[in-house]
Amino acid sequence: MRALLTPYPQRDAGIVIFKPGSGLMNLFHQRRLLISLVPDELKDFPIGEIPDVEQALVDDERLRAFFSDKRVIDAAGGIDSMRMWLERGQECQWTLGDGYHDKNMVVTDYEGSAVRLCWHHDLKFKDHLLPELDRLAYNNQANFVIKSAVAKLQLPPGHQLSFFELCWWAVTMGVIDVMPNPAARHALRWKPADPIKSVGREADIQPESAPRDVLVQRAEKVKPILALVIDPDTPESYMLRPKRRRYENPKYTQWVKRQPCCGCGNQADDPHHITGNGFGGMATKAHDLFVIPLCRRCHDALHANTAGWEKEHGDQVLLALKTLDRALAMGVIATGKEK
């Protein structure tokens, strides 16, 4: 459960006293409790307990047209994949009424979306259009898109997807042009549009570019950090003992050092070139693609006791492959025009 706490109106030497209320006291019995500033996607909720929704973005009215668009659903995997996702659930999504449910479930199509109902409610509401079914169908679409974005961006399960993470997913999937103007305005961090005055001079009217068009234009300028070009006919390919070339790419290693540390999960400081696995030449490092993000402490610990570090945190080769996989999935490494 997520909750917002009400600040008590007393401050002393930089200490803030919170008054959580009896309904939230159970949170303080846990081993850890994080109190932080309210993120942008939750700032419009009233103070107190936040509704127990799976993802806050589902309730963002600016994104309703985006989550409902067929192109966005197709980018997330398509309606068939959404049906399969719903089929994994075990409960009827209809919660109103007398509470009776049949034990058998069915995923039924509804207005371009799908809803999971028990046989009783499926038969009862067949061919009906109801506000509650509208809500369930939309929530399923929105949650399905968010689930797909979390997986595509390789974020941990249960991660609260932020507005800007969703925008990046839309860019990588080619559907950023579907983003509604109010949402695009927020993505660009533009202030709300000034209301049109009923009385004024025509010369004072300054036309504004549509936020969605500006967002698309900026997304089109996004370039990959690294483009790989494949040449299957290099001279070395025909040599019996070719001279080794070392691949270097500072842009990629700079990206790696900005990722979470493979050891402790904190912000990394260094792109560590894997060692002790036969990569690299005589007195030379491995290629710049064979690197993993490490903080300074974990980097020193790995060099001090490589076997012990790998036993605790995992094999360097596997971690390097996971780093490459993350880079490919995020579009950091892109395929350029082949020779």
Side-chain angles (χ1 to χ4, degrees):
M1 179 173 65
R2 296 175 287 110
L4 289 176
L5 304 180
T6 305
Y8 202 75
Q10 294 183 15
R11 293 176 179 266
D12 184 19
I15 299 176
V16 180
I17 302 175
F18 289 93
K19 184 180 180 181
S22 59
L24 301 177
M25 284 303 297
N26 64 306
L27 295 175
F28 291 83
H29 295 295
Q30 302 176 14
R31 293 182 60 187
R32 285 185 174 184
L33 178 66
L34 174 66
I35 299 177
S36 66
L37 296 175
V38 180
D40 289 342
E41 58 268 23
L42 299 180
K43 67 181 180 181
D44 294 328
F45 280 97
I47 292 178
E49 185 176 351
I50 298 174
D52 191 15
V53 294
E54 183 178 350
Q55 291 281 346
L57 293 182
V58 174
D59 292 333
D60 193 327
E61 289 296 323
R62 296 170 298 190
L63 295 170
R64 178 169 287 273
F66 179 80
F67 286 135
S68 302
D69 193 278
K70 184 179 183 301
R71 280 182 55 203
V72 175
I73 300 300
D74 289 342
I79 187 67
D80 290 337
S81 295
M82 188 175 79
R83 290 193 194 98
M84 294 174 62
W85 169 64
L86 286 170
E87 287 172 354
R88 293 198 289 269
Q90 302 296 321
E91 297 180 352
C92 177
Q93 292 186 308
W94 185 270
T95 58
L96 303 181
D98 57 10
Y100 172 76
H101 295 282
D102 189 88
K103 65 179 181 179
N104 297 295
M105 300 293 152
V106 62
V107 173
T108 184
D109 293 338
Y110 184 86
E111 294 293 285
S113 182
V115 178
R116 185 178 64 249
L117 299 173
C118 67
W119 284 6
H120 167 69
H121 289 106
D122 181 52
L123 181 62
K124 181 177 181 180
F125 301 128
K126 194 171 184 65
D127 299 326
H128 284 58
L129 297 177
L130 300 172
E132 178 63 11
L133 289 178
D134 293 340
R135 186 188 71 82
L136 292 173
Y138 169 74
N139 284 357
N140 286 340
Q141 287 178 312
N143 280 311
F144 174 69
V145 171
I146 291 173
K147 178 194 72 69
S148 177
V150 168
K152 179 68 176 179
L153 299 177
Q154 295 194 340
L155 299 169
H159 174 82
Q160 277 288 313
L161 193 72
S162 72
F163 187 94
F164 300 102
E165 288 170 336
L166 178 67
C167 288
W168 176 241
W169 174 84
V171 170
T172 60
M173 302 305 294
V175 292
I176 191 64
D177 59 303
V178 182
M179 192 67 66
N181 276 321
R185 178 179 293 276
H186 178 62
L188 293 167
R189 297 186 182 276
W190 287 5
K191 65 179 182 180
D194 295 329
I196 298 176
K197 299 179 180 180
S198 58
V199 179
R201 297 180 304 171
E202 184 177 356
D204 293 333
I205 300 176
Q206 298 294 329
E208 179 188 65
S209 300
R212 177 166 53 193
D213 295 340
V214 175
L215 188 63
V216 171
Q217 291 170 7
R218 293 189 181 181
E220 290 174 347
K221 295 180 180 179
V222 175
K223 297 180 179 179
I225 294 177
L226 170 63
L228 294 180
V229 179
I230 309 301
D231 182 3
D233 296 314
T234 62
E236 290 85 350
S237 300
Y238 300 97
M239 296 180 183
L240 182 62
R241 294 183 178 179
K243 183 179 179 180
R244 178 182 176 85
R245 300 187 195 181
R246 182 176 179 275
Y247 180 81
E248 298 181 1
N249 196 294
K251 290 184 178 180
Y252 180 68
T253 55
Q254 285 294 316
W255 175 82
V256 170
K257 72 183 293 184
R258 296 199 302 267
Q259 306 310 301
C261 174
C262 286
C264 62
N266 294 323
Q267 174 62 52
D269 298 304
D270 304 314
H272 165 70
H273 294 77
I274 62 176
T275 60
N277 294 281
F279 294 96
M282 184 67 67
T284 61
K285 295 180 179 180
H287 298 301
D288 277 357
L289 288 180
F290 303 147
V291 292
I292 60 176
L294 292 178
C295 69
R296 197 61 47 78
R297 178 178 295 180
C298 289
H299 201 172
D300 292 342
L302 186 150
H303 283 291
N305 183 1
T306 301
W309 191 93
E310 288 188 325
K311 185 176 180 180
E312 180 179 356
H313 301 291
D315 184 82
Q316 293 178 81
V317 175
L318 179 60
L319 293 174
L321 287 174
K322 288 184 176 180
T323 303
L324 276 170
D325 179 73
R326 177 178 174 83
L328 288 165
M330 294 177 63
V332 175
I333 297 178
T335 303
K337 184 179 179 180
E338 296 186 352
K339 291 183 179 179

